Amino acid sequence: MPTSTRPIAIPSHIRPLDEILPTEPLLMMGAGPVPIPHAVARANSIVINHLGETMSVVIAQVKDMARYTFQTQSEWILGVAGPGSAAMEMAIANLVDARSRVLCLVNGYFSQRMAEMAGRAGAQVLVHEAAGTQPLDLTAFEAAVAQHRPHCVTIVHGETSNTTFNANLAELARIAKRHGSLVIVDAVCTLSTTPLQMDAWGIDAVITGGQKGLSCIPGVSLVAFSNAAWDRINSRSSPTAHWCLDARLATNFWHRGSYHYTAPVSGVLALHEALRLVCTETLERRFERHRRCSAALQAGIEALGLQLLVPPAQRLHSVVGVVVPPATSNQAVCQHISRQYQVEVSGSFGLPIVRIGQMGEQCREPNLFRTLHALGSTMQDLGVPADLTAGLVALERGLRQVGAAEG
Ligand SMILES: *Cc1c(COP(=O)(O)O)cnc(C)c1O
C-alpha cells in the first residue's frame, strides 16, 4: 500500500478547554497531584527569561529555601524539569554506574522503581524486601548491608503506593553509613509533611517532586546531594548516560547562571512560591498541621466503620489507605465519589484500598469535612454501611482536641 501524501486536515472535533473542564473542578484528594495555593498558580502563569537577572535571584532563593526544607547545608541542590521519577532517576543515574552494587529496601511500588532504575543504570541490584505492614527488622537489614557492602542504599521514606512509612529512616541511614554506603532517599510525599533531616540523619541524596508534599505543580522536581555524594559524582569514570539528567551539566543552570537546557521557568517560579509558603508556615507548624489533619481524618474514617490498611506504627500520614469492603471495589468507589461528589481519591496498585492524600493543601479543614462526607456517602450509595454522623463527629473532635492541647 503506498502511503497517502494527502495533507493532514485540521481536526474538526476539537472543543476549547472551557468546554471540556468540569464547571466544578474536582477536589483533588488522591495520592497526587494535590491542590495548589493561589500564589503557586499565579507564579505558574508567568514566563520570564530563563537566563536573565530575575531568574538568577529566583534560583538563589529556591536553593536557600530548599536547604531549609531539606534541612541541609549542602550547596548541591538541583532542580529538574520532570516528575518526581525524573529526580529519582537523576539521583540514581549520577550516583550509580556499571561497577556499583546497590541495595534497595523494597516495601512497595516506588521502592521497586528505584531498584529498576539502578538496574538500568547498570548496577548490580540487591533487593531487600520488607512487608510494609510489619515492623522493619533492623537486624536483618543490617545483616544484608554488612554482607553485600553496597555502594548505595535506596529507601523510600513514605510509600505512597501502599501507605506504609519507614518511621526509622534515621536508623536505616545510620546503619548504611556504618558500612560505608551512600544513602538515597525518596521523600516525594514526605518532604515538608513529616520530619526529615538530611544532614543530621546522614542522607546523601534526597528526592522530591512538586505535586505531593510541596503542594506545587507536577513536572518540576528537586534533588539534594550531600558533599560525599557530590564527590562520588565527580569521580565517575564514565559520564551519566542521561544527558538531560546529568547532575554536573545541571550545575551550569543551577549554579553558574548559564545554559543546560531551557528550564521550565514557570514551574521554577511555582516551586519558589511553594517553598516560600513552607518557609512562611515554618516546618514545625507544617508538620503539626499535617499530623493533626491526618490523625483526625483517620479517626473519622474509622468512626464511619471503615478500616485503615496499615497498623499505626508503620502507617504513613501523608497518604491514608482505606480498606474497601468486599461488597464493592476501589474502582467503583473512586468513580462514584468523583462523579457524585466531585471529590477525587486514588485507587491502588493491586491492593483493595482507596487512598486519600494528606499533603499540602489537602490538609485544610473544609477539604477534610467534604472528603469524609463524600466517602461515607459513597459507601452508603454503594451498599456499604457507614455511620456518617459518627465519622464527622470524630473528625471534628480530632481537629479540636489536638488544637486544644496545643494552645
Ligand atoms: C508519586 C511518587 C513518586 C513518583 O513521582 P512522579 O511525579 O509520579 O514521577 C515517587 N515516589 C513516591 C514516594 C511518590 O509518592
Side-chain angles (χ1 to χ4, degrees):
M1 287 277 281
T3 323
S4 163
T5 54
R6 269 186 307 155
I8 309 297
I10 297 169
S12 55
H13 58 275
I14 302 300
R15 291 178 294 152
L17 264 188
D18 281 347
E19 290 175 22
I20 299 170
L21 294 172
T23 32
E24 185 188 351
L26 294 179
L27 177 60
M28 300 293 287
M29 294 298 285
V34 308
I36 53 173
H38 179 69
V40 171
R42 211 185 129 263
N44 189 45
S45 69
I46 299 167
V47 172
I48 61 171
N49 177 0
H50 67 126
L51 300 175
E53 271 172 39
T54 307
M55 198 62 196
S56 67
V57 176
V58 169
I59 288 170
Q61 297 201 147
V62 164
K63 288 192 293 184
D64 283 344
M65 294 187 291
R67 277 186 202 100
Y68 168 68
T69 309
F70 286 100
Q71 287 291 290
T72 184
Q73 296 191 334
S74 173
E75 71 177 293
W76 304 114
I77 311 276
L78 300 169
V80 54
S85 302
M88 188 189 272
E89 195 141 42
M90 190 165 181
I92 291 171
N94 284 279
L95 288 173
V96 162
D97 63 22
R99 295 172 309 172
S100 310
R101 274 187 315 283
V102 179
L103 187 138
C104 301
L105 175 60
V106 171
N107 48 6
Y109 183 85
F110 290 112
S111 36
Q112 184 63 47
R113 182 176 294 180
M114 294 180 94
E116 169 76 20
M117 286 179 178
R120 289 187 185 202
Q124 181 193 348
V125 177
L126 309 137
V127 167
H128 184 79
E129 229 162 316
T133 46
Q134 268 145 48
L136 188 70
D137 183 343
L138 290 174
T139 316
F141 176 76
E142 174 140 32
V145 176
Q147 185 194 339
H148 300 297
R149 304 194 68 78
H151 298 96
C152 297
V153 168
T154 67
I155 304 168
V156 172
H157 194 198
E159 258 293 355
T160 324
S161 60
N162 54 19
T163 69
T164 62
F165 180 55
N166 279 313
N168 40 20
L169 175 60
E171 183 60 24
L172 292 169
R174 202 161 15 218
I175 290 169
K177 293 254 101 157
R178 193 148 64 218
H179 296 275
S181 175
L182 293 178
V183 181
I184 306 175
V185 171
D186 170 342
V188 174
C189 73
T190 48
L191 193 79
S192 87
T193 70
T194 194
L196 182 150
Q197 299 193 21
M198 179 170 167
D199 286 1
W201 296 358
I203 303 170
D204 295 290
V206 179
I207 296 149
T208 198
Q211 83 280 22
K212 306 227 184 144
L214 290 178
S215 232
C216 191
I217 58 160
V220 183
S221 303
L222 283 172
V223 52
F225 292 104
S226 69
N227 286 330
W230 201 255
D231 288 346
R232 170 77 56 87
I233 291 170
N234 269 331
S235 64
R236 285 183 69 92
S237 56
S238 59
T240 302
H242 303 272
W243 187 91
C244 281
L245 299 179
D246 185 314
R248 277 182 293 188
L249 290 180
T251 60
N252 285 343
F253 179 73
W254 285 89
H255 291 265
R256 284 194 281 276
S258 76
Y259 178 67
H260 174 204
Y261 52 74
T262 306
V265 284
S266 317
V268 175
L269 292 171
L271 197 56
H272 180 282
E273 288 305 275
L275 290 167
R276 192 178 56 76
L277 292 172
V278 172
C279 293
T280 309
E281 186 173 15
T282 77
L283 283 176
E284 290 74 18
R285 285 209 295 265
R286 195 173 168 95
F287 296 151
E288 178 52 25
R289 170 164 64 88
H290 282 81
R291 195 201 58 71
R292 181 172 61 93
C293 286
S294 185
L297 178 66
Q298 292 169 37
I301 290 167
E302 289 184 319
L304 287 177
L306 299 170
Q307 285 183 337
L308 301 173
L309 179 72
V310 179
Q314 289 81 242
R315 187 180 298 161
L316 180 63
H317 289 294
S318 324
V319 182
V320 178
V322 187
V323 177
V324 175
T328 181
S329 69
N330 58 2
Q331 224 183 337
V333 171
C334 291
Q335 200 172 76
H336 189 87
I337 197 171
S338 166
R339 287 192 184 156
Q340 215 60 40
Y341 301 98
Q342 288 75 51
V343 173
E344 188 81 2
V345 300
S346 301
S348 189
F349 304 83
L351 291 167
I353 58 171
V354 290
R355 295 175 301 151
I356 302 177
Q358 283 295 275
M359 297 177 281
E361 294 306 296
Q362 293 176 323
C363 295
R364 301 288 180 197
E365 293 183 9
N367 294 343
L368 297 183
F369 282 101
R370 184 167 154 200
T371 301
L372 192 72
H373 179 266
L375 179 69
S377 304
T378 295
M379 288 298 176
Q380 289 177 350
D381 297 346
L382 297 175
V384 175
D387 190 336
L388 258 181
T389 312
L392 292 167
V393 167
L395 173 59
E396 170 71 10
R397 241 182 228 142
L399 292 168
R400 290 314 134 225
Q401 262 174 13
V402 194
E406 267 167 45

